[in-house]
Amino acid sequence: LDSENDERVKEYINQIANSPELKTEVHLCDNSTLNLILARYLVICEKEGIQLDVDIRKSCFDFMQIEDITSIFSNMLENAVEASRNAENAFIELNVRKSDSGQILIALLNSCREKPIQLPDGKFVSHKKDKKNHGFGMKSMEKVIKRYHGTLNAYYDEGDNIFHTVVLLNKEK
């Protein structure tokens, strides 16, 4: 980071590191990085009136790099908060399980206040107005998921106004 000399990135990291959301201590899983991320989103969801439920089973991320965990969960949760903000009965449910074969299944469901924009190729587009600095979350997740020979399935249930994000990761890269 220091060699890149990108002041915007340094400022962003400092902003996150010093945010009050990271002052909340939680223990929702056995991974300290993911606990930090979840602590941040617990505070955000509480402020936004979004019910956040988390069920993460033990020893799911022992094979993953910190930056990969951060990329997947920060982007998933940020997108879920954005979609759920101001939705009626807003909620986010995050479930993570490890199969006997070592595969990790991450399932995130969230309410949506409006139907997401979907391109003909099936990809979703950010609702955020500042397209120059937003809309990279799913692409970042896809890179990480590909690195773990995994899959990403995201779809919107129009009948229930619920967005589903399902990620499958393989322990062997």
Side-chain angles (χ1 to χ4, degrees):
L1 176 64
D2 288 329
S3 65
E4 294 289 325
N5 201 21
D6 188 338
E7 291 303 318
R8 293 178 307 155
V9 174
K10 290 179 190 176
E11 182 180 317
Y12 175 70
I13 290 172
N14 286 328
Q15 177 186 356
I16 289 173
N18 295 316
S19 71
E21 291 87 0
L22 291 182
K23 305 297 185 230
T24 302
E25 243 184 82
V26 297
H27 186 82
L28 296 170
C29 68
D30 60 353
N31 183 281
S32 57
T33 300
L34 187 51
N35 276 319
L36 276 173
I37 294 166
L38 293 170
R40 178 173 186 253
Y41 282 96
L42 280 169
V43 171
I44 290 169
C45 286
E46 186 176 321
K47 286 179 185 175
E48 296 286 345
I50 300 169
Q51 176 67 41
L52 176 59
D53 294 316
V54 177
D55 182 5
I56 299 176
R57 299 303 159 133
K58 193 172 184 169
S59 302
C60 288
F61 306 104
D62 52 355
F63 65 97
M64 292 183 70
Q65 300 293 316
I66 290 171
E67 58 271 14
D68 295 339
I69 293 168
T70 302
S71 177
I72 289 174
F73 287 96
S74 292
N75 284 307
M76 282 179 75
L77 289 165
E78 186 64 30
N79 289 344
V81 166
E82 180 65 27
S84 296
R85 188 174 281 128
N86 300 321
E88 189 175 326
N89 300 316
F91 74 92
I92 298 171
E93 293 178 11
L94 174 63
N95 294 288
V96 182
R97 307 242 180 306
K98 185 177 186 178
S99 72
D100 291 337
S101 65
Q103 290 182 309
I104 305 300
L105 174 66
I106 304 167
L108 186 133
L109 281 72
N110 62 271
S111 54
C112 290
R113 72 177 173 284
E114 60 185 315
K115 183 178 178 178
I117 302 166
Q118 190 171 16
L119 299 174
D121 67 359
K123 305 232 186 246
F124 291 93
V125 179
S126 176
H127 279 285
K128 294 178 180 171
K129 292 180 183 7
D130 182 8
K131 301 289 186 212
K132 181 181 174 189
N133 294 310
H134 294 286
F136 303 106
M138 292 294 274
K139 291 174 190 164
S140 297
M141 287 173 50
E142 287 171 345
K143 282 183 185 178
V144 171
I145 292 164
K146 186 176 181 180
R147 198 173 311 135
Y148 290 93
H149 303 287
T151 59
L152 168 65
N153 185 14
Y155 61 95
Y156 175 68
D157 183 340
E158 201 165 336
D160 292 330
N161 294 329
I162 296 175
F163 194 85
H164 299 253
T165 307
V166 181
V167 174
L168 185 64
L169 302 172
N170 292 291
K171 191 170 184 173
E172 302 300 319
K173 287 207 273 186

